[in-house]
């Protein structure tokens, strides 16, 4: 089956098909064509993966457009998208229903992935691909005079996430479904996702992401699934049948309304689910407020409720202590836990001791950590369990993943805020903390009392704000560790940093709780269908498409790495993908770029620790060298097209200045007649999942140059690797494991190591900067790229040696980075060697499938087993 799907995918990507030949794509001819195609297709019937017989795709698409949208004939690509999507949706729901019927019967243990972010991107192509319907729908559209690629382009990204953490959650859902693991994602149905980034005179502008206006064919609203979520109010003790019970009476209540987003696995009948919650006012169900004539209050309530799921906080790494964010976190956790418990009770009644055999929850970073207190509240206050019994169940059910080493990124909520918004939860956290610190006191009994008190204070879930002694904070990471069975980092080096630094006190107490689960990405989206040409070549060469589900098989490509004829085919695919990216650059910036140039890419959130600034400095240096060269020397230089993309958090001033530096440097370089054939720099605005799908297959060199020890893992590095893109990078995050799998000599590794960082930071003041660095600082400060004043803080942040400046040690790595860039040039001149390495990257990417990661979670942490419905 997989092989058939792959062949279908090739057809979409450009190989001529019979249907394409008979279907000229001229708008005027469309109507007649489509009528003929529909008539022809009506004669045949198709069977879907869900099992139900259905009308042929062209008829179905036309029907959807006619009856759902009131359209007839001559559709735009956007229309064709909607018709196609609503048609595909039915097959998806058939498959979803079959899977869930099966799971209801089998009653397996479920994993619930709790995440404030799911960065899904587009669904149409992914869905037809995973359902094995790609050929059918591509042909249908062709017959109607459309092209799948253009039609699919009309879909808006579901951008309910900031970056790595949200996209990881999306890859995990794909793998869970593909591996037939009973599992759901739970999150928030934000009305506005990640902002759209535009450029105005080279500066970032944020615009709202209004993604739901034309309807969302990929969700099913469940009018029968809603839960009340409360905030504020008071807590009382009452005696009921001689037993003391706690009653929380919230002062504000909203409704969480479920929307299901079916997640199709690849090459399996399994379709699982992402359940997202929308916040609605209670008053819609309590018309009393209207009847009493309190119209304006009811409308204000509506606004207040809807605000909870209105917008994704666009912060990556630095938490903003906004009350609304805590409200969002509690909102989705509360609804999700009630939902799971109500399904559990429907089958098992109140046998909660077996809850850990039926359900487990993964906390995606600390964002859903209030689950620790909420599960306790539901079990103790609502279900009437003993505290100790509830605690045993809670800690067995929960697990926590840490995704960041930045100390400032660890969420801490002021006790005052928590007590006001979630008074009962604050009490519960206090009781947990009392029990925890008491236990610690016993456990550390051998220590001298002073030392013991210090250790306990350092591990207390509730502690003083070090910057403001008046304020007490709830440390969410500590709560997550104490309340979970397993704690993991996301790459080997990161998990070691978690154990040895961030949570070392806890590691010493519970060494066996701590694990590593190196991240992965789905090879379906990130290789098989974002790069169908390369996928086809791999399948032809290996003689099987099984690598899509078993990426270790990609290792078979190693045997061809030096094969000239294979290299030629490999290179032809890369060239075709580069041409596509060149067309996109032309569309955005109006420039033609040299497609023979080395395509050098850095795409990720703009952050000082990711060091886009260092990249720009090296580009300026390259420019200055080219300027100085004779025509003879220039002919020998390796031409480069550099691309940088990524969003800056709206309040992250320094990141915004970095974007402006990129655009300003680009403006100078791209117009200089001396160099413009040899060097370009483009900032591609509004970097998102879809853009990544175009950029990554075209990349020849990608940059992963964070200060060692700061990037927890990185996941785009894995996507680039799969697509045969060489990496220039520091010894950080998953780069290390990628280098090990690819061959360290095939990777351009540079810079200081994580263990040196602390010392180097202390000594940075006395560090003798490279003369080339000094020159570049003078250039920027002197106005070589205009905007002198605006760039001054940028120069100061790395060059003006106040304590703490150049925190990310750009200057320390600068010379080594330039040297690594020279190695890149030398290697690119030897195309046979470059291609050999490129092939070795893909061949070495087997480990970085999220299937591998999810299998490890399932075996080591979740103890969840596959359960596959019959086809
Ligand atoms: C509350 C503010 C906030 C928002 C997002 C704090 C922290 C985050 C995330 C943890 C940031 C994030 O996306 N981290 C990235 O997670 C990826 C998946 O594990 C890793 O590959 C990246 O290295 C890490 O930066």
């Amino acid at each position: 089956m997989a092989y058939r799907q792959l062949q279908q995918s090739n057809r979409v990507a450009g190989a001529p098909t019979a249907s394409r030949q008979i279907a000229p794509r001229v708008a005027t001819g469309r109507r007649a064509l489509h009528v003929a195609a529909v008539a022809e297709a009506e004669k045949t019937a198709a069977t879907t993966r869900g099992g139900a017989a259905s009308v042929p795709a062209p008829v179905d698409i036309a029907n959807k457009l006619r009856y759902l949208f009131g359209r007839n004939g001559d559709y735009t690509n956007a229309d064709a998208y909607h018709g196609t999507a609503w048609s595909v949706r039915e097959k998806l729901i058939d498959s979803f229903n079959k899977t869930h019927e099966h799971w209801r019967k089998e009653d397996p243990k479920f994993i619930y992935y709790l995440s404030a972010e799911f960065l899904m991107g587009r669904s149409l192509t992914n869905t037809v691909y995973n359902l094995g319907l790609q050929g059918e729908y591509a042909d249908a559209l062709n017959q109607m005079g459309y092209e799948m690629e253009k039609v699919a382009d009309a879909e808006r990204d579901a951008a309910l996430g900031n970056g790595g953490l949200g996209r990881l959650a999306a890859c995990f859902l794909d793998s869970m479904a593909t591996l037939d693991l009973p599992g759901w994602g739970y999150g928030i149905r934000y009305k506005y996702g990640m902002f759209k980034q535009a450029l105005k005179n080279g500066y970032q502008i944020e615009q709202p992401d209004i993604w739901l206006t034309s309807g969302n064919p990929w969700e099913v609203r469940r009018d029968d699934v809603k839960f009340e979520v409360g905030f504020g109010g008071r807590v009382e003790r009452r005696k009921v049948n001689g037993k003391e019970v706690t009653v929380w009476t919230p002062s504000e209540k909203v409704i969480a309304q479920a929307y299901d987003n079916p997640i199709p696995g690849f090459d399996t009948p399994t379709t699982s689910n992402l359940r997202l919650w929308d916040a609605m006012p209670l008053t819609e169900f309590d018309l009393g407020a209207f009847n009493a004539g309190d119209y304006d209050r009811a409308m204000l309530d509506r606004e207040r409720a809807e605000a909870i799921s209105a917008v994704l906080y666009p912060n990556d790494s630095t938490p903003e202590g906004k009350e609304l964010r805590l409200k969002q976190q509690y909102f989705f956790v509360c609804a999700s836990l009630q939902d799971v418990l109500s399904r559990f009770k429907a089958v098992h009644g109140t046998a909660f001791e077996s809850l850990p055999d039926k359900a487990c929850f993964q906390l995606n970073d600390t964002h859903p950590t209030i689950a620790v207190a909420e599960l306790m509240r539901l079990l103790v206050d609502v279900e009437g369990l003993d505290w100790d019994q509830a605690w045993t169940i809670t800690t067995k059910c929960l697990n926590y993943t840490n995704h960041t080493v930045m100390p400032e990124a660890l969420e801490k909520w002021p006790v005052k805020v928590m007590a006001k918004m979630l008074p009962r939860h604050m009490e519960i956290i206090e009781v947990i903390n009392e029990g925890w610190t008491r236990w610690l006191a016993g456990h550390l009994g051998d220590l001298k009392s002073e030392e013991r008190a210090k250790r306990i204070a350092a591990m207390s879930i509730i502690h003083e704000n070090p910057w403001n002694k008046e304020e007490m904070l709830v440390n969410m990471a500590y709560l997550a560790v104490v309340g979970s069975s397993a704690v993991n980092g996301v790459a080997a080096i990161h998990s070691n940093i978690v154990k040895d630094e961030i949570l070392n006190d806890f590691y010493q107490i519970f060494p066996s709780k701590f694990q590593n689960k190196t991240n992965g990405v789905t090879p379906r989206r990130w290789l098989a269908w974002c790069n169908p040409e390369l996928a086809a070549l791999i399948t032809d060469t290996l003689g099987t498409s099984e690598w899509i589900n078993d990426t270790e098989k990609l290792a078979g490509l190693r045997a061809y790495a030096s094969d000239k004829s294979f290299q030629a085919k490999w290179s032809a695919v890369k060239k075709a993908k580069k041409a596509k990216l060149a067309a996109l650059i032309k569309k955005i910036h109006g420039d033609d770029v040299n497609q023979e140039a080395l395509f050098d890419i850095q795409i990720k959130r703009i952050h000082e620790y990711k060091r886009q600034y260092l990249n720009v400095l090296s580009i300026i240096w390259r420019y200055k060298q080219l300027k100085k060269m004779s025509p003879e020397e220039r002919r020998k230089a390796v031409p480069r097209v550099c691309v940088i993309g990524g969003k800056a958090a709206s309040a992250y001033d320094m990141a915004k200045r970095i974007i402006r530096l990129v655009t300003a440097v680009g403006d100078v370089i791209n117009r200089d007649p001396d160099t413009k054939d040899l060097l370009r720099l483009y900032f591609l605005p509004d970097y998102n999942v879809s853009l990544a799908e175009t950029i990554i297959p075209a990349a020849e060199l990608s940059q992963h140059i964070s200060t060692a020890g700061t990037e927890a893992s990185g996941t785009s590095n894995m996507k680039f690797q799969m697509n045969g893109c060489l990496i220039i990078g520091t010894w950080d995050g998953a780069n290390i494991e990628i280098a090990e799998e690819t061959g360290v000599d095939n990777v351009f590794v540079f810079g200081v190591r994580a263990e040196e960082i602390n010392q180097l930071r202390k000594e940075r003041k006395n560090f003798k900067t490279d003369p080339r660095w000094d020159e570049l600082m003078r250039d920027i400060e002197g106005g070589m790229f205009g905007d002198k004043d605006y760039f001054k803080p940028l120069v100061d942040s790395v060059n003006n040696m106040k304590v703490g400046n150049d925190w990310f040690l750009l200057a320390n790595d600068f010379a080594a980075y330039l040297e690594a860039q020279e190695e890149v040039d030398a290697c690119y001149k030897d195309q046979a060697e470059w291609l050999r390495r490129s092939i070795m990257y893909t061949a070495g990417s087997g480990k970085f499938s999220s299937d591998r990661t999810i299998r490890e979670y399932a075996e080591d942490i979740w103890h969840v087993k596959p359960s596959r419905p019959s086809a």
Side-chain angles (χ1 to χ4, degrees), residues 653-686:
D653 178 71
M654 214 53 96
K656 289 184 152 176
R657 287 177 204 261
I658 292 171
I659 290 177
R660 177 60 190 133
L661 183 64
V662 176
T663 60
V665 171
D667 286 345
V668 171
I669 293 179
N670 299 343
R671 288 195 198 116
D672 190 327
D674 289 345
T675 57
K676 71 187 183 46
D677 293 334
L678 292 171
L679 183 62
R680 298 288 179 96
L681 169 59
Y682 293 102
F683 186 86
L684 291 191
D686 204 34

Side-chain angles (χ1 to χ4, degrees), residues 623-641:
Y623 170 63
K624 296 187 67 163
Q625 296 314 102
L626 286 168
K627 285 289 276 182
K628 276 195 240 153
M629 285 179 192
S630 65
E632 179 63 35
E633 286 168 319
R634 280 193 195 141
R635 263 194 294 281
K636 286 193 219 132
V638 173
R640 280 208 204 195
V641 172

Side-chain angles (χ1 to χ4, degrees), residues 72-369:
N72 217 354
D74 253 357
Y75 318 119
T76 61
N77 277 323
D79 293 333
Y81 160 71
H82 286 290
T84 310
W86 283 88
S87 168
V88 171
R89 167 193 161 102
E90 292 184 3
K91 328 235 161 180
L92 189 59
I93 291 177
D94 283 340
S95 174
F96 174 95
N97 287 340
K98 263 198 107 175
T99 306
H100 286 82
E101 248 165 64
H102 174 76
W103 284 345
R104 244 192 312 277
K105 270 204 280 270
E106 297 285 309
D107 189 30
K109 181 175 180 183
F110 261 70
I111 160 67
Y112 298 106
Y113 200 80
L114 301 183
S115 179
E117 306 189 5
F118 287 92
L119 195 39
M120 304 300 284
R122 289 177 178 153
S123 286
L124 176 61
T125 22
N126 181 61
T127 305
V128 291
Y129 188 87
N130 279 13
L131 290 180
L133 297 169
Q134 188 156 17
E136 188 182 330
Y137 275 91
D139 287 349
L141 286 170
N142 259 317
Q143 286 165 35
M144 298 170 80
Y146 299 85
E147 251 179 285
M148 177 61 106
E149 212 178 305
K150 292 206 176 113
V151 167
D153 227 28
E155 180 175 355
R156 300 193 63 131
D157 274 41
L160 308 185
N162 272 283
L165 159 131
R167 184 52 231 177
L168 184 77
C171 284
F172 279 6
L173 293 179
D174 182 86
S175 286
M176 280 157 53
T178 297
L179 297 174
D180 303 308
L181 290 172
W184 281 14
Y186 268 118
I188 300 172
R189 181 181 180 269
Y190 299 105
K191 186 168 172 197
Y192 302 99
M194 188 60 199
F195 67 77
K196 283 177 79 70
Q197 178 193 54
L199 291 179
K200 196 171 169 196
N201 303 325
Y203 296 84
Q204 169 176 297
I205 305 282
E206 300 101 38
Q207 294 163 346
D209 169 43
I210 311 170
W211 71 291
L212 287 167
T213 33
S214 321
N216 177 8
W218 309 112
E219 67 183 10
V220 181
R221 185 183 150 113
R222 296 281 180 208
D223 277 315
D224 54 334
V225 185
K226 29 171 125 23
F227 294 93
E228 272 186 32
V229 180
F231 302 96
R234 58 197 151 74
V235 178
E236 294 160 295
R237 271 2 99 183
R238 285 188 204 146
K239 275 245 152 77
V240 176
N241 301 331
K243 198 180 163 193
E244 180 168 279
V245 295
T246 303
V247 180
W248 171 32
T249 315
S251 54
E252 183 192 350
K253 280 185 188 171
V254 301
I255 294 287
Q257 162 70 56
Y259 282 78
D260 286 347
N261 298 254
I263 307 292
F266 172 73
D267 206 6
T268 164
T270 299
T271 291
S272 71
N273 191 20
L274 165 60
R275 180 163 281 181
L276 300 178
W277 301 103
D278 180 44
M280 299 199 312
L282 200 62
T283 40
E284 271 202 347
F285 305 89
D286 162 23
L287 287 170
F290 286 96
N291 296 340
D294 209 353
Y295 174 80
D296 44 351
R297 203 217 69 199
M299 286 328 255
L300 287 175
D301 277 359
R302 155 177 290 279
E303 245 171 60
R304 204 153 67 143
E306 285 175 352
I308 296 175
S309 57
V311 59
L312 167 80
Y313 276 102
N315 301 316
D316 188 73
S317 294
T318 35
E320 260 181 284
K322 294 266 169 69
E323 286 187 28
L324 184 58
R325 179 159 168 106
L326 179 59
K327 238 177 164 176
Q328 291 185 333
Q329 296 181 346
Y330 178 62
F331 167 75
F332 93 89
V333 164
C334 172
S336 308
L337 291 183
Q338 288 188 69
D339 192 27
V340 171
L341 286 189
S342 82
R343 276 199 307 275
F344 176 84
K345 282 165 73 176
V347 179
H348 303 277
T350 53
F352 291 108
E353 66 284 357
S354 60
L355 183 67
D357 302 326
K358 291 295 166 191
C360 69
F361 300 88
Q362 192 68 34
L363 308 178
N364 199 21
D365 217 83
T366 54
H367 318 157
T369 296

Side-chain angles (χ1 to χ4, degrees), residues 164-165 315-317 319 325 365 403 411 490 519 609 711-714:
L165 159 131
N315 301 316
D316 188 73
S317 294
R325 179 159 168 106
D365 217 83
H403 291 268
E411 289 186 297
V490 292
N519 282 164
Y609 84 80
E711 187 71 275
S713 159

Side-chain angles (χ1 to χ4, degrees), residues 19-33:
S19 52
R20 186 169 295 190
Q21 283 157 359
I22 55 159
R25 300 186 320 276
V26 269
T28 48
R30 270 181 179 171
R31 186 169 180 130
L33 257 170

